[in-house]
Amino acid sequence: MEKSPELSNKTAETEEKIPLLDKIISESEKVPVTAEDTNYPSYEMRASPMGSISHLDEKEWKITRTDSFKDWFEGSKILDENKEPLVVNTRSRFKKDEKFELGTRQVLKISEDSWGKKGVNNFGFFFSEAPNLFHYGPFIKKAFLNIKNPFDVSDLSSVSTFEEFKTKLLEYELPEDDIKKMEEEFLKWKKERNKLIHGSEKIPEGWIKNGWIDNQATYNYFDVGDGGKEVREILIKNGFDGLKINDLEGIAYVAFHPEQILVFENKKDTN
């Protein structure tokens, strides 16, 4: 018997109200696992039937096999070497149900002599392949990311000079005015940083002699200005929806929008 238009509309409205993760988890519980999908006798999951060993555990493997996940993840470049969705992590000092919102951030001082980034984060949402970023806080989220066109500078070292970074901007053929704007924002940031560390814009001779002032954490080139807002706008304008970068602990990613993030595990690390 065909559903009446009213019933069909109500069904559609109900489906729209179901959170994406709940829908995916519900579907994942129905995903079958065959003998060809596991590596007997360890029962590790396989990336494909009788293929290489997957980096995903059974829960993650089932999630990525659901229709709803495939629809959401379609086109994402955040994959592991098996071409499966990559599990990434983010940590926080704050409560585990903290939302992904651009805005205020705070960094705890390790000592009176240490300095940290204060103010706002208007660039994006940071994730890493590394799970043990304890210094970011005890609350850990495991997630998948749908970033279709990341600005990829992961072939640069985690520490680089601006000239090395500028080479990447030129490779991507960013407009000259945008490159100039990014350089201006970085130079302003560097002056402020020098004041914070050295008490003035002038750099100590020892720092210059040892080349320390020329090398920066590569992420600093993005995290300038109004919490990275200006650089974010430039990258979005040029068609990018995220960042892939070599961080100190490994490869890291930044999603520009909350809807690019699917958190499937959210807990406090008690280790």
Side-chain angles (χ1 to χ4, degrees), residues 28-168:
S28 72
E29 292 170 352
K30 303 181 181 88
V31 173
V33 178
T34 70
E36 292 183 343
D37 295 322
T38 63
N39 179 36
Y40 180 82
S42 65
Y43 292 104
E44 296 168 297
M45 306 309 295
R46 292 185 182 276
S48 60
M50 300 306 293
S52 57
I53 301 301
S54 175
H55 297 297
L56 306 175
D57 63 26
E58 185 174 346
K59 175 186 175 181
E60 298 160 354
W61 187 92
K62 285 185 173 182
I63 284 174
T64 62
R65 267 64 182 176
T66 64
D67 290 337
S68 292
F69 178 87
K70 291 175 182 177
D71 289 343
W72 172 80
F73 191 74
E74 184 178 6
S76 178
K77 299 297 193 299
I78 313 305
L79 306 168
D80 63 22
E81 60 263 35
N82 291 326
K83 304 301 180 184
E84 289 188 292
L86 177 70
V87 175
V88 293
N89 309 271
T90 190
R91 282 180 176 264
S92 171
R93 294 191 295 110
F94 305 100
K95 57 187 179 181
K96 73 173 186 176
D97 59 346
E98 179 189 13
K99 295 179 180 178
F100 292 103
E101 295 176 334
L102 295 177
T104 303
R105 68 169 167 206
Q106 296 175 346
V107 176
L108 286 175
K109 282 194 172 184
I110 298 173
S111 70
E112 286 302 315
D113 297 326
S114 71
W115 66 279
K117 294 173 182 175
K118 297 181 179 179
V120 295
N121 162 33
N122 284 320
F123 184 64
F125 308 104
F126 183 92
F127 291 83
S128 176
E129 294 182 16
N132 300 320
L133 306 179
F134 301 111
H135 52 290
Y136 286 113
F139 297 101
I140 184 168
K141 295 179 176 73
K142 295 176 71 173
F144 295 109
L145 301 177
N146 184 349
I147 302 178
K148 292 180 171 64
N149 189 29
F151 189 77
D152 188 350
V153 293
S154 59
D155 56 344
L156 286 180
S157 170
S158 60
V159 176
S160 61
T161 66
F162 187 83
E163 287 306 310
E164 291 170 331
F165 174 67
K166 190 174 181 179
T167 299
K168 295 300 298 183

Side-chain angles (χ1 to χ4, degrees), residues 151 169-170 172-176 178-179 182 234-235 238 240:
F151 189 77
L169 302 182
L170 294 170
Y172 274 109
E173 300 182 345
L174 263 63
E176 185 177 337
D178 289 342
I179 294 176
M182 292 175 76
I234 287 172
L235 293 180
N238 284 281
F240 299 99

